[in-house]
Amino acid sequence: SIDYKVNVKSNTTWSGAFGNRTVDGNGDQTVDLPDAPPQCVVVQKQTRTGYLQIKIIEEGGWFLNPTNEYSAVSTTAEYGLVSDCTKK
């Protein structure tokens, strides 16, 4: 089975929807996603200044397919928002 995670990198506080749950965080964190695709992530900065980046990581899956990393999505906008979804 595939294990989805989201790497969050930030120098500020943020809050987001990770699949079926809400997570509030600060700084860098790895958050689990439900393992049945598709799952979407929406994360918003709680401050004017700073940066926020998310990257979905897909572990496991097909034979000889170790880890697939999605492209990172980032923002430095005031109260900026980033989102991405796993592949179907």
Side-chain angles (χ1 to χ4, degrees):
S1 69
I2 296 175
D3 185 22
Y4 292 104
K5 298 183 186 327
V6 181
N7 279 349
V8 180
K9 292 188 177 181
S10 185
N11 61 352
T12 186
T13 55
W14 47 267
S15 180
F18 294 80
N20 56 359
R21 64 192 177 113
T22 300
V23 177
D24 295 322
N26 186 11
D28 298 350
Q29 202 167 325
T30 299
V31 180
D32 263 326
L33 273 181
D35 295 334
Q39 298 292 339
C40 290
V41 183
V42 180
V43 188
Q44 181 167 7
K45 285 170 44 185
Q46 301 297 300
T47 59
R48 282 196 168 91
T49 59
Y51 68 88
L52 172 63
Q53 173 186 292
I54 63 169
K55 183 190 286 189
I56 295 175
I57 299 199
E58 186 182 291
E59 296 178 337
W62 299 101
F63 183 65
L64 294 180
N65 176 20
T67 299
N68 288 332
E69 288 193 6
Y70 290 64
S71 297
V73 183
S74 60
T75 184
T76 55
E78 293 186 4
Y79 300 100
L81 182 136
V82 289
S83 64
D84 200 4
C85 294
T86 62
K87 295 181 181 78
K88 294 182 181 182

Short mmCIF file of all heavy atoms in Angstrom, two decimals, residues 19-58:
data_model
loop_
_atom_site.label_atom_id
_atom_site.label_comp_id
_atom_site.label_asym_id
_atom_site.label_seq_id
_atom_site.Cartn_x
_atom_site.Cartn_y
_atom_site.Cartn_z
N GLY A 19 -6.34 16.12 4.07
CA GLY A 19 -7.31 15.06 3.86
C GLY A 19 -8.54 15.31 4.69
O GLY A 19 -9.28 16.26 4.45
N ASN A 20 -8.74 14.49 5.71
CA ASN A 20 -9.97 14.55 6.50
C ASN A 20 -9.77 15.20 7.88
O ASN A 20 -10.62 15.06 8.74
CB ASN A 20 -10.52 13.13 6.67
CG ASN A 20 -9.51 12.20 7.31
OD1 ASN A 20 -8.38 12.60 7.61
ND2 ASN A 20 -9.89 10.96 7.51
N ARG A 21 -8.66 15.89 8.09
CA ARG A 21 -8.47 16.49 9.42
C ARG A 21 -7.74 17.82 9.30
O ARG A 21 -7.07 18.10 8.32
CB ARG A 21 -7.70 15.55 10.35
CG ARG A 21 -6.29 15.26 9.90
CD ARG A 21 -5.70 14.10 10.69
NE ARG A 21 -4.37 13.80 10.21
CZ ARG A 21 -3.27 13.98 10.91
NH1 ARG A 21 -3.34 14.44 12.14
NH2 ARG A 21 -2.10 13.68 10.40
N THR A 22 -7.88 18.61 10.34
CA THR A 22 -7.24 19.92 10.41
C THR A 22 -6.02 19.82 11.31
O THR A 22 -6.08 19.19 12.37
CB THR A 22 -8.22 20.98 10.95
OG1 THR A 22 -9.34 21.03 10.08
CG2 THR A 22 -7.56 22.34 11.02
N VAL A 23 -4.93 20.44 10.90
CA VAL A 23 -3.71 20.46 11.70
C VAL A 23 -3.23 21.90 11.80
O VAL A 23 -3.14 22.61 10.80
CB VAL A 23 -2.61 19.59 11.07
CG1 VAL A 23 -1.32 19.68 11.87
CG2 VAL A 23 -3.06 18.14 10.95
N ASP A 24 -2.95 22.34 13.03
CA ASP A 24 -2.32 23.63 13.26
C ASP A 24 -0.86 23.38 13.57
O ASP A 24 -0.55 22.49 14.37
CB ASP A 24 -2.98 24.36 14.44
CG ASP A 24 -4.44 24.70 14.15
OD1 ASP A 24 -4.73 25.07 13.00
OD2 ASP A 24 -5.27 24.59 15.07
N GLY A 25 0.02 24.15 12.96
CA GLY A 25 1.43 23.91 13.17
C GLY A 25 2.25 25.18 13.19
O GLY A 25 1.75 26.28 12.99
N ASN A 26 3.53 24.99 13.46
CA ASN A 26 4.48 26.09 13.51
C ASN A 26 5.81 25.54 13.05
O ASN A 26 6.30 24.55 13.59
CB ASN A 26 4.58 26.63 14.94
CG ASN A 26 5.44 27.86 15.03
OD1 ASN A 26 5.81 28.44 14.00
ND2 ASN A 26 5.77 28.27 16.24
N GLY A 27 6.39 26.17 12.02
CA GLY A 27 7.68 25.71 11.54
C GLY A 27 7.56 24.46 10.68
O GLY A 27 6.53 24.19 10.09
N ASP A 28 8.66 23.69 10.63
CA ASP A 28 8.72 22.50 9.78
C ASP A 28 8.03 21.32 10.47
O ASP A 28 8.21 21.11 11.67
CB ASP A 28 10.17 22.13 9.49
CG ASP A 28 10.90 23.21 8.72
OD1 ASP A 28 10.25 24.17 8.25
OD2 ASP A 28 12.13 23.10 8.59
N GLN A 29 7.27 20.56 9.69
CA GLN A 29 6.54 19.43 10.26
C GLN A 29 6.21 18.45 9.14
O GLN A 29 6.02 18.85 7.99
CB GLN A 29 5.24 19.95 10.90
CG GLN A 29 4.65 19.04 11.94
CD GLN A 29 3.57 19.76 12.74
OE1 GLN A 29 3.68 20.95 12.99
NE2 GLN A 29 2.55 19.05 13.12
N THR A 30 6.10 17.16 9.48
CA THR A 30 5.61 16.16 8.55
C THR A 30 4.26 15.68 9.05
O THR A 30 4.11 15.31 10.21
CB THR A 30 6.59 14.98 8.44
OG1 THR A 30 7.84 15.46 7.96
CG2 THR A 30 6.07 13.93 7.46
N VAL A 31 3.26 15.71 8.15
CA VAL A 31 1.89 15.37 8.52
C VAL A 31 1.44 14.19 7.67
O VAL A 31 1.64 14.18 6.45
CB VAL A 31 0.95 16.57 8.30
CG1 VAL A 31 -0.47 16.21 8.70
CG2 VAL A 31 1.44 17.79 9.08
N ASP A 32 0.83 13.18 8.30
CA ASP A 32 0.29 12.03 7.57
C ASP A 32 -0.99 12.41 6.85
O ASP A 32 -1.80 13.19 7.36
CB ASP A 32 -0.03 10.89 8.54
CG ASP A 32 1.09 9.87 8.60
OD1 ASP A 32 1.74 9.63 7.57
OD2 ASP A 32 1.30 9.31 9.69
N LEU A 33 -1.18 11.82 5.68
CA LEU A 33 -2.43 11.94 4.93
C LEU A 33 -3.10 10.58 4.92
O LEU A 33 -2.42 9.55 5.02
CB LEU A 33 -2.15 12.32 3.48
CG LEU A 33 -2.02 13.79 3.11
CD1 LEU A 33 -1.77 13.91 1.61
CD2 LEU A 33 -3.26 14.56 3.49
N PRO A 34 -4.43 10.53 4.76
CA PRO A 34 -5.08 9.24 4.54
C PRO A 34 -4.47 8.57 3.31
O PRO A 34 -4.04 9.24 2.38
CB PRO A 34 -6.55 9.61 4.31
CG PRO A 34 -6.71 10.93 4.99
CD PRO A 34 -5.40 11.63 4.82
N ASP A 35 -4.42 7.24 3.33
CA ASP A 35 -3.69 6.51 2.30
C ASP A 35 -4.51 6.18 1.05
O ASP A 35 -3.99 5.60 0.12
CB ASP A 35 -3.09 5.24 2.90
CG ASP A 35 -2.06 5.57 3.96
OD1 ASP A 35 -1.47 6.66 3.88
OD2 ASP A 35 -1.84 4.75 4.86
N ALA A 36 -5.79 6.52 1.03
CA ALA A 36 -6.61 6.26 -0.15
C ALA A 36 -6.71 7.53 -1.00
O ALA A 36 -7.30 8.50 -0.57
CB ALA A 36 -8.00 5.81 0.27
N PRO A 37 -6.08 7.54 -2.18
CA PRO A 37 -6.15 8.74 -3.00
C PRO A 37 -7.52 8.88 -3.66
O PRO A 37 -8.23 7.89 -3.75
CB PRO A 37 -5.06 8.50 -4.05
CG PRO A 37 -4.95 7.04 -4.16
CD PRO A 37 -5.30 6.48 -2.79
N PRO A 38 -7.92 10.05 -4.12
CA PRO A 38 -7.13 11.28 -3.98
C PRO A 38 -7.37 11.96 -2.64
O PRO A 38 -8.45 11.89 -2.09
CB PRO A 38 -7.68 12.16 -5.12
CG PRO A 38 -9.10 11.72 -5.26
CD PRO A 38 -9.12 10.25 -4.92
N GLN A 39 -6.33 12.60 -2.11
CA GLN A 39 -6.42 13.38 -0.89
C GLN A 39 -5.86 14.76 -1.20
O GLN A 39 -4.86 14.88 -1.91
CB GLN A 39 -5.60 12.75 0.24
CG GLN A 39 -6.06 11.38 0.66
CD GLN A 39 -7.41 11.38 1.33
OE1 GLN A 39 -7.87 12.40 1.85
NE2 GLN A 39 -8.08 10.23 1.32
N CYS A 40 -6.50 15.79 -0.67
CA CYS A 40 -6.02 17.15 -0.93
C CYS A 40 -5.56 17.81 0.36
O CYS A 40 -6.02 17.48 1.45
CB CYS A 40 -7.12 17.97 -1.59
SG CYS A 40 -7.44 17.44 -3.28
N VAL A 41 -4.64 18.74 0.17
CA VAL A 41 -4.05 19.49 1.27
C VAL A 41 -4.23 20.97 0.97
O VAL A 41 -3.95 21.41 -0.14
CB VAL A 41 -2.54 19.19 1.37
CG1 VAL A 41 -1.92 19.92 2.55
CG2 VAL A 41 -2.29 17.70 1.45
N VAL A 42 -4.71 21.72 1.95
CA VAL A 42 -4.81 23.17 1.84
C VAL A 42 -4.25 23.75 3.12
O VAL A 42 -4.75 23.44 4.21
CB VAL A 42 -6.28 23.64 1.64
CG1 VAL A 42 -6.33 25.15 1.53
CG2 VAL A 42 -6.90 22.98 0.43
N VAL A 43 -3.20 24.55 3.02
CA VAL A 43 -2.53 25.10 4.20
C VAL A 43 -2.40 26.60 4.04
O VAL A 43 -2.03 27.08 2.97
CB VAL A 43 -1.14 24.47 4.41
CG1 VAL A 43 -0.55 24.91 5.74
CG2 VAL A 43 -1.21 22.95 4.34
N GLN A 44 -2.69 27.34 5.12
CA GLN A 44 -2.62 28.80 5.07
C GLN A 44 -1.74 29.33 6.19
O GLN A 44 -1.79 28.85 7.33
CB GLN A 44 -4.01 29.40 5.21
CG GLN A 44 -3.99 30.92 5.14
CD GLN A 44 -5.38 31.51 4.97
OE1 GLN A 44 -6.38 30.81 5.02
NE2 GLN A 44 -5.43 32.80 4.75
N LYS A 45 -0.91 30.33 5.83
CA LYS A 45 -0.12 31.03 6.85
C LYS A 45 -1.04 31.81 7.76
O LYS A 45 -2.05 32.34 7.33
CB LYS A 45 0.84 32.03 6.17
CG LYS A 45 2.02 31.40 5.50
CD LYS A 45 2.78 32.41 4.64
CE LYS A 45 2.96 33.73 5.33
NZ LYS A 45 3.57 34.73 4.47
N GLN A 46 -0.68 31.89 9.02
CA GLN A 46 -1.46 32.65 9.99
C GLN A 46 -0.85 34.02 10.25
O GLN A 46 -1.30 34.73 11.14
CB GLN A 46 -1.55 31.86 11.30
CG GLN A 46 -2.18 30.49 11.14
CD GLN A 46 -3.62 30.58 10.67
OE1 GLN A 46 -4.47 31.17 11.33
NE2 GLN A 46 -3.90 30.03 9.49
N THR A 47 0.16 34.38 9.48
CA THR A 47 0.86 35.65 9.68
C THR A 47 1.05 36.36 8.35
O THR A 47 0.89 35.78 7.28
CB THR A 47 2.26 35.41 10.28
OG1 THR A 47 2.99 34.56 9.39
CG2 THR A 47 2.18 34.75 11.64
N ARG A 48 1.42 37.64 8.43
CA ARG A 48 1.68 38.41 7.21
C ARG A 48 3.03 38.03 6.61
O ARG A 48 3.15 37.88 5.41
CB ARG A 48 1.69 39.91 7.53
CG ARG A 48 0.32 40.50 7.69
CD ARG A 48 0.37 42.02 7.61
NE ARG A 48 -0.97 42.56 7.50
CZ ARG A 48 -1.72 42.91 8.52
NH1 ARG A 48 -1.26 42.79 9.75
NH2 ARG A 48 -2.93 43.38 8.33
N THR A 49 4.04 37.93 7.45
CA THR A 49 5.39 37.70 6.94
C THR A 49 5.76 36.23 7.03
O THR A 49 5.15 35.47 7.78
CB THR A 49 6.42 38.52 7.73
OG1 THR A 49 6.33 38.14 9.10
CG2 THR A 49 6.13 40.01 7.60
N GLY A 50 6.78 35.84 6.28
CA GLY A 50 7.28 34.48 6.34
C GLY A 50 6.96 33.70 5.07
O GLY A 50 6.35 34.20 4.14
N TYR A 51 7.41 32.44 5.07
CA TYR A 51 7.18 31.58 3.91
C TYR A 51 6.50 30.29 4.36
O TYR A 51 6.55 29.92 5.54
CB TYR A 51 8.50 31.25 3.19
CG TYR A 51 9.44 30.38 3.98
CD1 TYR A 51 9.35 28.99 3.92
CD2 TYR A 51 10.39 30.94 4.82
CE1 TYR A 51 10.20 28.19 4.67
CE2 TYR A 51 11.24 30.15 5.56
CZ TYR A 51 11.14 28.78 5.48
OH TYR A 51 11.97 28.00 6.24
N LEU A 52 5.87 29.64 3.40
CA LEU A 52 5.19 28.37 3.65
C LEU A 52 5.35 27.51 2.41
O LEU A 52 5.10 27.97 1.30
CB LEU A 52 3.70 28.62 3.93
CG LEU A 52 2.80 27.40 4.03
CD1 LEU A 52 3.19 26.51 5.19
CD2 LEU A 52 1.35 27.82 4.16
N GLN A 53 5.79 26.27 2.61
CA GLN A 53 5.96 25.34 1.48
C GLN A 53 5.42 23.98 1.88
O GLN A 53 5.61 23.54 3.01
CB GLN A 53 7.44 25.20 1.13
CG GLN A 53 7.73 24.13 0.09
CD GLN A 53 9.21 23.94 -0.13
OE1 GLN A 53 9.89 24.81 -0.64
NE2 GLN A 53 9.72 22.79 0.29
N ILE A 54 4.71 23.34 0.94
CA ILE A 54 4.27 21.96 1.17
C ILE A 54 4.77 21.08 0.03
O ILE A 54 4.94 21.54 -1.09
CB ILE A 54 2.73 21.84 1.28
CG1 ILE A 54 2.04 22.25 -0.03
CG2 ILE A 54 2.20 22.61 2.47
CD1 ILE A 54 0.57 21.91 -0.08
N LYS A 55 5.03 19.83 0.37
CA LYS A 55 5.42 18.85 -0.64
C LYS A 55 4.83 17.50 -0.24
O LYS A 55 5.09 17.00 0.86
CB LYS A 55 6.94 18.74 -0.74
CG LYS A 55 7.39 17.78 -1.84
CD LYS A 55 8.87 17.50 -1.78
CE LYS A 55 9.68 18.66 -2.29
NZ LYS A 55 11.11 18.30 -2.43
N ILE A 56 4.03 16.92 -1.14
CA ILE A 56 3.44 15.61 -0.88
C ILE A 56 4.49 14.54 -1.20
O ILE A 56 5.19 14.63 -2.20
CB ILE A 56 2.19 15.39 -1.75
CG1 ILE A 56 1.09 16.38 -1.33
CG2 ILE A 56 1.69 13.95 -1.61
CD1 ILE A 56 -0.14 16.32 -2.19
N ILE A 57 4.57 13.55 -0.34
CA ILE A 57 5.49 12.43 -0.53
C ILE A 57 4.69 11.14 -0.52
O ILE A 57 3.83 10.93 0.33
CB ILE A 57 6.56 12.43 0.57
CG1 ILE A 57 7.34 13.72 0.48
CG2 ILE A 57 7.44 11.20 0.46
CD1 ILE A 57 8.65 13.73 1.13
N GLU A 58 4.97 10.28 -1.49
CA GLU A 58 4.26 9.02 -1.68
C GLU A 58 5.27 7.90 -1.45
O GLU A 58 6.22 7.76 -2.20
CB GLU A 58 3.76 9.02 -3.12
CG GLU A 58 2.88 7.91 -3.55
CD GLU A 58 2.53 8.05 -5.02
OE1 GLU A 58 1.78 8.97 -5.40
OE2 GLU A 58 3.05 7.24 -5.80
#
